[in-house]
Amino acid sequence: DCNKYMTRAMHPMACGAAASAECARVQGRFWELSEQMFANREFLSPDDIRFMAEKAGLDAEAFATCVGNTAAMDAVKADIEAGATAKIDGTPSVFLLGAYGDKWVKLNVGPGDKDRMTAFFAHLRAGKPPPTPTEPAPLPE
């Protein structure tokens, strides 16, 4: 409902979960709540998420106020628009800044790419210069 670019229904609770994640980010607990929600993907009703937010250490009153405010969903919609501008066509989409100067590079991520990405980041962590990037294939218009 919050993503006008989706042409088919996929995740009916995604908008509420995304707004909840934004509210967790405001409290500095984005990753804690995200882990809870991903581990419990089949339980993403507002009551379930409130329970997970408390388990993740969020201030319950501040969280409820944030979720009830339109600012969290506005932030989600702004992220959706930024993704559309960047031509993100699926998840996960990973962009890297700094490895090749000041240019953003989209890393192609898909089935079977885990080993390639693990090797890429190990290469960078070892202090070696990044390998030469390859441009992704252009998206069909």
Side-chain angles (χ1 to χ4, degrees):
D1 290 339
C2 60
N3 187 343
K4 66 184 179 185
Y5 301 101
M6 293 297 300
T7 58
R8 61 189 169 98
M10 288 185 63
H11 305 292
M13 305 302 263
C15 294
S20 296
E22 171 62 17
C23 291
R25 183 199 63 77
V26 169
Q27 291 190 37
R29 298 291 221 183
F30 171 85
W31 292 110
E32 292 86 348
L33 182 59
S34 292
E35 286 177 14
Q36 290 283 331
M37 289 192 296
F38 275 103
N40 296 287
R41 288 187 287 281
E42 65 279 6
F43 302 106
L44 293 176
S45 73
D47 287 339
D48 293 331
I49 292 174
R50 271 192 298 278
F51 175 77
M52 287 183 259
E54 289 180 33
K55 299 273 296 177
L58 277 83
D59 176 293
E61 187 175 323
F63 181 77
T65 299
C66 180
V67 170
N69 189 321
T70 61
M73 188 56 70
D74 290 345
V76 169
K77 289 179 179 180
D79 284 348
I80 291 167
E81 290 302 319
T85 299
K87 298 186 176 95
I88 293 175
D89 55 358
T91 59
S93 291
V94 179
F95 289 82
L96 185 64
L97 174 65
Y100 303 107
D102 62 355
K103 179 180 175 187
W104 282 97
V105 177
K106 182 177 181 184
L107 301 179
N108 292 330
V109 181
D113 286 342
K114 181 181 176 188
D115 292 338
R116 185 171 64 88
M117 288 193 61
T118 299
F120 178 85
F121 288 112
H123 191 84
L124 294 178
R125 278 194 300 274
K128 298 176 185 175
T132 303
T134 57
E135 292 294 326
L139 295 174
E141 292 292 324

